[in-house]
Amino acid sequence: MLTKKQIKEIREALDQSQNPLFYFHDDQDGLCSYILLRRYLGRGKGVAVKKIPMPEEYFRRVREFSPDMIFALDLPDISKEFFDEVAKLNIPVVWIDHHDIDFKSPKFVKYYNPFLKSKKYEPVSLLCQQIAGNKQDEWISLVGCISDKMIPSFYKDFSKQYPELSIKANDAFDVYYKSELGKICKILGAGLKDKTTNVMKMIRFLIDVKGPHDVLNESKDNSTMHEKFNEINSKFQKLVEKAKAGYEGGKILFFRYSGDTAMSSSVANYLSYLFNDKIICVSYLNGDEVRISIRGEGVKESVLKVIKKIKGAHGGGHGGAVGVGLRLSDLDFFEKELQKLIDKKNKKV
């Protein structure tokens, strides 16, 4: 958790900013982090970041909005080129993250990452709830936390207030896949995959939303979110069934797919829920580029060893949840090398 001193510093930065720009990771944890701080402050623009490391191309939003302060939320890496452009304009940056990253941020960046010291996993939406401090918005933080596979302590209070939306559970994925709160998580996740105009419409809706039922119950104000959820959910179910049908046994479940919607992370999460003793490796093929989501206990170490052997490959994440980007021509090599390392590990056990 953030210290009292850190919370005070971040709140002061928020309060001082008259035109803040928020960059957030385009998943539920990143989105909810932004919504929590935006509702706290009452002003600012938000930009969903789909590429990690966040490249220089996102700097055009700085030119567009002319912010007096930049906040980066749930972003494991930001390119040097982006920071070089920010430095030229002397814009203060506050960066709040929770990834296990070994690097030094520029001196003009105020970097907050409790994980690096505590080694305790806490989604950024939990940290932003600490900052915002609005008890009525705890459900928003819950959506981010549950989506990031963590049940915070205030889930008990939520369950008492909204028993119809919750279940008794010790595992976040049980909540995600078996409760109405989990459906809200999935609705927001699907909404982030919509076209930009609809993503912005969803964000505006969430900034003013009164409670979780307003998200769950379809209305004229959130109809595009529900339409996208139904579309995404249909594709998701087909991909999961295809992955299950193609699994031939072994320690690793490899699955490749292509199409107009990237959902490798969601598919990998659900497969890891179904096959919790396996390594899951889901690859989304998009032209010559591949985005891979890997799940499995302690898999990060093996994945990072493999991508060091591949020119231009990049990746990172948490111990049991890693994302990788590489060229299609390198995918066979990546899968074979990962298989070798996992097999070697299993022989030692």
Side-chain angles (χ1 to χ4, degrees), residues 244-309:
K244 287 163 63 178
Y247 177 53
E248 299 178 348
K251 182 62 179 176
I252 307 182
L253 189 163
F254 289 108
F255 177 59
R256 301 180 180 185
Y257 77 99
S258 57
D260 58 359
T261 305
M263 59 177 84
S264 59
S265 179
S266 299
V267 174
N269 283 341
Y270 189 52
L271 291 174
S272 71
Y273 179 67
L274 298 178
F275 301 91
N276 58 23
D277 61 337
K278 308 298 180 186
I279 303 295
I280 307 298
C281 185
V282 178
S283 299
Y284 172 61
L285 283 54
N286 184 19
D288 188 46
E289 296 181 352
V290 181
R291 291 169 61 179
I292 313 173
S293 294
I294 306 107
R295 303 291 183 267
E297 186 176 352
V299 74
K300 181 180 178 182
E301 180 184 357
S302 297
V303 171
L304 294 184
K305 283 182 180 179
V306 175
I307 63 175
K308 283 181 180 179
K309 301 178 182 180

Side-chain angles (χ1 to χ4, degrees), residues 56-67 85 89:
E56 182 186 353
E57 66 189 68
Y58 279 89
F59 186 76
R60 66 184 178 87
R61 294 295 194 173
V62 175
R63 297 191 185 94
E64 180 181 348
F65 297 123
S66 300
E85 292 301 313
L89 298 181

Side-chain angles (χ1 to χ4, degrees), residues 23-27 29-31 48-49 52 73-76 99 192:
Y23 287 99
F24 61 90
H25 192 202
D26 73 329
D27 63 6
D29 186 33
L31 171 65
V49 177
I52 302 296
L73 307 172
D74 191 31
L75 298 178
H99 293 88
L192 284 165

Side-chain angles (χ1 to χ4, degrees), residues 51-254:
K51 296 181 180 180
I52 302 296
M54 187 173 85
E56 182 186 353
E57 66 189 68
Y58 279 89
F59 186 76
R60 66 184 178 87
R61 294 295 194 173
V62 175
R63 297 191 185 94
E64 180 181 348
F65 297 123
S66 300
D68 60 351
M69 192 170 295
I70 292 171
F71 292 85
L73 307 172
D74 191 31
L75 298 178
D77 198 3
I78 298 174
S79 70
K80 179 181 179 299
E81 291 76 16
F82 176 86
F83 278 136
D84 286 345
E85 292 301 313
V86 171
K88 291 176 185 176
L89 298 181
N90 198 30
I91 303 173
V93 178
V94 175
W95 188 356
I96 308 171
D97 192 36
H98 67 149
H99 293 88
D100 186 8
I101 301 296
D102 181 21
F103 76 104
K104 289 185 178 180
S105 58
K107 291 182 179 180
F108 65 89
V109 176
K110 291 185 177 179
Y111 183 71
Y112 300 90
N113 187 339
F115 179 83
L116 298 182
K117 185 176 181 179
S118 69
K119 300 302 177 183
K120 182 179 179 182
Y121 181 75
E122 295 164 332
V124 175
S125 50
L126 181 61
L127 305 180
C128 288
Q129 175 59 24
Q130 269 192 286
I131 297 161
N134 187 349
K135 189 169 178 61
Q136 291 183 334
D137 283 352
E138 283 183 346
W139 69 272
I140 298 174
S141 178
L142 262 179
V143 171
C145 290
I146 295 298
S147 301
D148 239 36
K149 205 175 179 181
M150 187 264 193
I151 301 180
S153 59
F154 47 83
Y155 178 68
K156 291 181 180 179
D157 292 337
F158 175 87
S159 298
K160 291 177 182 177
Q161 185 176 2
Y162 300 103
E164 73 281 9
L165 303 183
S166 56
I167 61 172
K168 290 183 178 180
N170 295 317
D171 185 277
F173 273 4
D174 283 337
V175 179
Y176 189 90
Y177 294 116
K178 296 179 179 179
S179 74
E180 292 298 278
L181 174 61
K183 184 177 180 180
I184 294 174
C185 298
K186 287 177 277 193
I187 289 172
L188 298 195
L192 284 165
K193 299 182 186 303
D194 212 337
K195 57 185 179 182
T196 302
T197 53
N198 286 341
V199 172
M200 297 310 298
K201 183 179 179 181
M202 177 178 70
I203 288 174
R204 289 193 296 271
F205 169 76
L206 292 173
I207 288 171
D208 295 324
V209 74
K210 302 300 182 185
H213 282 292
D214 292 339
V215 178
L216 191 61
N217 300 327
E218 187 172 354
S219 66
K220 62 180 179 62
D221 295 323
N222 66 19
S223 59
T224 54
M225 294 164 52
H226 281 262
E227 288 171 9
K228 194 63 179 179
F229 167 70
N230 292 331
E231 175 195 330
I232 291 288
N233 191 50
S234 176
K235 293 178 180 180
F236 172 81
Q237 296 297 339
K238 290 176 182 177
L239 288 174
V240 168
E241 290 306 312
K242 189 175 180 181
K244 287 163 63 178
Y247 177 53
E248 299 178 348
K251 182 62 179 176
I252 307 182
L253 189 163
F254 289 108

